[in-house]
mmCIF file of all heavy atoms in Angstrom:
data_model
loop_
_atom_site.group_PDB
_atom_site.id
_atom_site.type_symbol
_atom_site.label_atom_id
_atom_site.label_comp_id
_atom_site.label_asym_id
_atom_site.label_seq_id
_atom_site.Cartn_x
_atom_site.Cartn_y
_atom_site.Cartn_z
ATOM 1 N N ARG A 1 -5.384 9.176 1.550
ATOM 2 C CA ARG A 1 -6.408 9.337 0.548
ATOM 3 C C ARG A 1 -7.320 10.451 1.022
ATOM 4 O O ARG A 1 -7.880 11.275 0.165
ATOM 5 C CB ARG A 1 -7.202 8.069 0.505
ATOM 6 C CG ARG A 1 -8.422 7.975 -0.381
ATOM 7 C CD ARG A 1 -8.883 6.568 -0.714
ATOM 8 N NE ARG A 1 -9.083 5.860 0.629
ATOM 9 C CZ ARG A 1 -9.306 4.549 0.676
ATOM 10 N NH1 ARG A 1 -9.354 3.900 -0.553
ATOM 11 N NH2 ARG A 1 -9.515 3.940 1.710
ATOM 12 N N ARG A 2 -7.614 10.637 2.251
ATOM 13 C CA ARG A 2 -8.563 11.688 2.806
ATOM 14 C C ARG A 2 -7.927 13.045 2.447
ATOM 15 O O ARG A 2 -8.621 14.008 2.132
ATOM 16 C CB ARG A 2 -8.697 11.554 4.262
ATOM 17 C CG ARG A 2 -9.609 10.507 4.713
ATOM 18 C CD ARG A 2 -10.074 10.598 6.143
ATOM 19 N NE ARG A 2 -8.906 10.629 7.040
ATOM 20 C CZ ARG A 2 -8.436 9.468 7.625
ATOM 21 N NH1 ARG A 2 -8.927 8.322 7.355
ATOM 22 N NH2 ARG A 2 -7.374 9.578 8.394
ATOM 23 N N ASP A 3 -6.564 13.181 2.426
ATOM 24 C CA ASP A 3 -5.943 14.409 2.289
ATOM 25 C C ASP A 3 -5.698 14.637 0.751
ATOM 26 O O ASP A 3 -5.146 15.761 0.452
ATOM 27 C CB ASP A 3 -4.520 14.370 2.980
ATOM 28 C CG ASP A 3 -4.718 14.590 4.501
ATOM 29 O OD1 ASP A 3 -5.804 14.669 4.981
ATOM 30 O OD2 ASP A 3 -3.641 14.441 5.179
ATOM 31 N N GLY A 4 -6.056 13.707 0.011
ATOM 32 C CA GLY A 4 -5.862 13.949 -1.421
ATOM 33 C C GLY A 4 -4.352 13.749 -1.885
ATOM 34 O O GLY A 4 -4.055 14.084 -3.029
ATOM 35 N N VAL A 5 -3.532 13.122 -0.991
ATOM 36 C CA VAL A 5 -2.145 12.894 -1.379
ATOM 37 C C VAL A 5 -2.029 11.599 -2.138
ATOM 38 O O VAL A 5 -1.089 11.483 -3.052
ATOM 39 C CB VAL A 5 -1.302 12.918 -0.037
ATOM 40 C CG1 VAL A 5 0.179 12.556 -0.401
ATOM 41 C CG2 VAL A 5 -1.366 14.232 0.625
ATOM 42 N N PHE A 6 -2.756 10.513 -1.688
ATOM 43 C CA PHE A 6 -2.708 9.207 -2.287
ATOM 44 C C PHE A 6 -3.987 8.980 -3.116
ATOM 45 O O PHE A 6 -5.017 9.418 -2.849
ATOM 46 C CB PHE A 6 -2.547 8.101 -1.237
ATOM 47 C CG PHE A 6 -1.349 8.203 -0.367
ATOM 48 C CD1 PHE A 6 -1.373 7.710 0.903
ATOM 49 C CD2 PHE A 6 -0.210 8.813 -0.829
ATOM 50 C CE1 PHE A 6 -0.296 7.793 1.737
ATOM 51 C CE2 PHE A 6 0.972 8.865 0.021
ATOM 52 C CZ PHE A 6 0.962 8.419 1.177
ATOM 53 N N HIS A 7 -3.759 8.272 -4.249
ATOM 54 C CA HIS A 7 -4.854 7.786 -5.060
ATOM 55 C C HIS A 7 -4.772 6.327 -5.362
ATOM 56 O O HIS A 7 -4.280 5.923 -6.498
ATOM 57 C CB HIS A 7 -4.725 8.644 -6.462
ATOM 58 C CG HIS A 7 -4.656 10.162 -6.187
ATOM 59 N ND1 HIS A 7 -5.781 10.959 -5.797
ATOM 60 C CD2 HIS A 7 -3.658 10.923 -6.163
ATOM 61 C CE1 HIS A 7 -5.363 12.129 -5.666
ATOM 62 N NE2 HIS A 7 -4.099 12.214 -5.861
ATOM 63 N N PRO A 8 -5.058 5.599 -4.429
ATOM 64 C CA PRO A 8 -4.758 4.123 -4.480
ATOM 65 C C PRO A 8 -5.367 3.427 -5.704
ATOM 66 O O PRO A 8 -6.447 3.721 -6.149
ATOM 67 C CB PRO A 8 -5.435 3.570 -3.161
ATOM 68 C CG PRO A 8 -5.461 4.684 -2.239
ATOM 69 C CD PRO A 8 -5.676 5.858 -3.180
ATOM 70 N N THR A 9 -4.652 2.371 -6.222
ATOM 71 C CA THR A 9 -5.061 1.657 -7.374
ATOM 72 C C THR A 9 -5.946 0.597 -7.099
ATOM 73 O O THR A 9 -6.399 -0.192 -7.946
ATOM 74 C CB THR A 9 -3.850 1.235 -8.217
ATOM 75 O OG1 THR A 9 -3.044 0.466 -7.375
ATOM 76 C CG2 THR A 9 -3.019 2.379 -8.670
ATOM 77 N N ALA A 10 -6.161 0.294 -5.753
ATOM 78 C CA ALA A 10 -6.995 -0.802 -5.248
ATOM 79 C C ALA A 10 -7.388 -0.365 -3.878
ATOM 80 O O ALA A 10 -7.238 0.658 -3.467
ATOM 81 C CB ALA A 10 -6.289 -2.136 -5.292
ATOM 82 N N SER A 11 -8.096 -1.397 -3.194
ATOM 83 C CA SER A 11 -8.561 -1.198 -1.807
ATOM 84 C C SER A 11 -7.326 -0.937 -0.931
ATOM 85 O O SER A 11 -6.281 -1.393 -1.339
ATOM 86 C CB SER A 11 -9.384 -2.261 -1.247
ATOM 87 O OG SER A 11 -8.630 -3.446 -1.069
ATOM 88 N N ALA A 12 -7.522 -0.247 0.193
ATOM 89 C CA ALA A 12 -6.409 -0.017 1.162
ATOM 90 C C ALA A 12 -5.777 -1.251 1.580
ATOM 91 O O ALA A 12 -4.576 -1.365 1.593
ATOM 92 C CB ALA A 12 -7.015 0.939 2.254
ATOM 93 N N ASP A 13 -6.548 -2.277 1.798
ATOM 94 C CA ASP A 13 -6.019 -3.564 2.273
ATOM 95 C C ASP A 13 -5.172 -4.220 1.165
ATOM 96 O O ASP A 13 -4.178 -4.732 1.469
ATOM 97 C CB ASP A 13 -7.170 -4.513 2.646
ATOM 98 C CG ASP A 13 -7.679 -4.322 3.940
ATOM 99 O OD1 ASP A 13 -7.079 -3.555 4.787
ATOM 100 O OD2 ASP A 13 -8.786 -4.925 4.312
ATOM 101 N N GLU A 14 -5.619 -4.129 -0.049
ATOM 102 C CA GLU A 14 -4.849 -4.795 -1.195
ATOM 103 C C GLU A 14 -3.595 -3.969 -1.458
ATOM 104 O O GLU A 14 -2.551 -4.606 -1.684
ATOM 105 C CB GLU A 14 -5.742 -4.798 -2.422
ATOM 106 C CG GLU A 14 -6.847 -5.963 -2.203
ATOM 107 C CD GLU A 14 -7.676 -6.076 -3.495
ATOM 108 O OE1 GLU A 14 -7.621 -5.146 -4.334
ATOM 109 O OE2 GLU A 14 -8.496 -7.024 -3.622
ATOM 110 N N VAL A 15 -3.680 -2.719 -1.398
ATOM 111 C CA VAL A 15 -2.471 -1.837 -1.563
ATOM 112 C C VAL A 15 -1.486 -2.133 -0.476
ATOM 113 O O VAL A 15 -0.220 -2.274 -0.704
ATOM 114 C CB VAL A 15 -2.784 -0.384 -1.679
ATOM 115 C CG1 VAL A 15 -1.525 0.396 -1.532
ATOM 116 C CG2 VAL A 15 -3.593 0.046 -2.919
ATOM 117 N N ALA A 16 -1.957 -2.233 0.752
ATOM 118 C CA ALA A 16 -1.069 -2.577 1.899
ATOM 119 C C ALA A 16 -0.358 -3.876 1.779
ATOM 120 O O ALA A 16 0.790 -3.990 1.964
ATOM 121 C CB ALA A 16 -1.915 -2.403 3.247
ATOM 122 N N ASP A 17 -1.131 -4.822 1.268
ATOM 123 C CA ASP A 17 -0.567 -6.206 1.097
ATOM 124 C C ASP A 17 0.442 -6.244 -0.050
ATOM 125 O O ASP A 17 1.389 -6.867 -0.059
ATOM 126 C CB ASP A 17 -1.775 -7.207 0.778
ATOM 127 C CG ASP A 17 -2.476 -7.565 2.066
ATOM 128 O OD1 ASP A 17 -1.956 -7.353 3.083
ATOM 129 O OD2 ASP A 17 -3.571 -8.142 1.852
ATOM 130 N N GLY A 18 0.183 -5.380 -1.109
ATOM 131 C CA GLY A 18 1.173 -5.241 -2.120
ATOM 132 C C GLY A 18 2.540 -4.590 -1.713
ATOM 133 O O GLY A 18 3.573 -5.103 -2.032
ATOM 134 N N ILE A 19 2.389 -3.681 -0.763
ATOM 135 C CA ILE A 19 3.588 -3.033 -0.273
ATOM 136 C C ILE A 19 4.257 -3.971 0.672
ATOM 137 O O ILE A 19 5.462 -4.141 0.655
ATOM 138 C CB ILE A 19 3.318 -1.747 0.644
ATOM 139 C CG1 ILE A 19 2.569 -0.726 -0.279
ATOM 140 C CG2 ILE A 19 4.406 -1.186 1.303
ATOM 141 C CD1 ILE A 19 1.980 0.498 0.375
ATOM 142 N N ILE A 20 3.590 -4.906 1.436
ATOM 143 C CA ILE A 20 4.204 -5.850 2.328
ATOM 144 C C ILE A 20 4.962 -6.923 1.444
ATOM 145 O O ILE A 20 6.045 -7.298 1.815
ATOM 146 C CB ILE A 20 3.080 -6.491 3.194
ATOM 147 C CG1 ILE A 20 2.518 -5.530 4.233
ATOM 148 C CG2 ILE A 20 3.622 -7.693 3.823
ATOM 149 C CD1 ILE A 20 1.322 -5.963 4.948
ATOM 150 N N CYS A 21 4.419 -7.221 0.427
ATOM 151 C CA CYS A 21 5.022 -8.244 -0.556
ATOM 152 C C CYS A 21 6.371 -7.612 -1.053
ATOM 153 O O CYS A 21 7.401 -8.428 -0.993
ATOM 154 C CB CYS A 21 4.127 -8.520 -1.717
ATOM 155 S SG CYS A 21 2.764 -9.654 -1.394
ATOM 156 N N ALA A 22 6.385 -6.357 -1.280
ATOM 157 C CA ALA A 22 7.621 -5.737 -1.760
ATOM 158 C C ALA A 22 8.674 -5.722 -0.559
ATOM 159 O O ALA A 22 9.814 -5.995 -0.807
ATOM 160 C CB ALA A 22 7.335 -4.374 -2.316
ATOM 161 N N ILE A 23 8.181 -5.343 0.569
ATOM 162 C CA ILE A 23 8.923 -5.228 1.760
ATOM 163 C C ILE A 23 9.566 -6.697 2.102
ATOM 164 O O ILE A 23 10.779 -6.842 2.391
ATOM 165 C CB ILE A 23 8.220 -4.739 3.034
ATOM 166 C CG1 ILE A 23 7.987 -3.238 2.783
ATOM 167 C CG2 ILE A 23 9.111 -4.960 4.223
ATOM 168 C CD1 ILE A 23 7.075 -2.678 3.877
ATOM 169 N N ASP A 24 8.718 -7.651 1.997
ATOM 170 C CA ASP A 24 9.089 -9.001 2.325
ATOM 171 C C ASP A 24 10.254 -9.475 1.377
ATOM 172 O O ASP A 24 11.280 -10.015 1.920
ATOM 173 C CB ASP A 24 7.910 -9.916 2.164
ATOM 174 C CG ASP A 24 7.571 -10.777 3.348
ATOM 175 O OD1 ASP A 24 8.367 -10.749 4.272
ATOM 176 O OD2 ASP A 24 6.569 -11.479 3.322
ATOM 177 N N GLY A 25 10.095 -9.178 0.079
ATOM 178 C CA GLY A 25 11.167 -9.646 -0.776
ATOM 179 C C GLY A 25 12.453 -8.871 -0.486
ATOM 180 O O GLY A 25 13.547 -9.531 -0.600
ATOM 181 N N LEU A 26 12.392 -7.587 -0.233
ATOM 182 C CA LEU A 26 13.617 -6.877 0.058
ATOM 183 C C LEU A 26 14.242 -7.260 1.347
ATOM 184 O O LEU A 26 15.425 -7.290 1.501
ATOM 185 C CB LEU A 26 13.330 -5.384 -0.067
ATOM 186 C CG LEU A 26 13.063 -4.858 -1.462
ATOM 187 C CD1 LEU A 26 12.554 -3.372 -1.319
ATOM 188 C CD2 LEU A 26 14.317 -4.936 -2.302
ATOM 189 N N MET A 27 13.457 -7.622 2.333
ATOM 190 C CA MET A 27 13.935 -8.101 3.567
ATOM 191 C C MET A 27 14.749 -9.336 3.450
ATOM 192 O O MET A 27 15.826 -9.610 4.069
ATOM 193 C CB MET A 27 12.877 -8.295 4.571
ATOM 194 C CG MET A 27 12.218 -6.989 5.234
ATOM 195 S SD MET A 27 10.919 -7.322 6.346
ATOM 196 C CE MET A 27 11.856 -7.771 7.817
ATOM 197 N N THR A 28 14.275 -10.203 2.496
ATOM 198 C CA THR A 28 15.067 -11.450 2.253
ATOM 199 C C THR A 28 16.409 -11.058 1.529
ATOM 200 O O THR A 28 17.390 -11.659 2.055
ATOM 201 C CB THR A 28 14.262 -12.348 1.249
ATOM 202 O OG1 THR A 28 12.977 -12.740 1.866
ATOM 203 C CG2 THR A 28 15.021 -13.671 0.938
#
């Protein structure tokens, strides 16, 4: 975000948790 590469659609914590949910499902 600082570098202007990412434009998160929510807070960093919420975006991270969304990514974790996707990872979790694929790990299963």
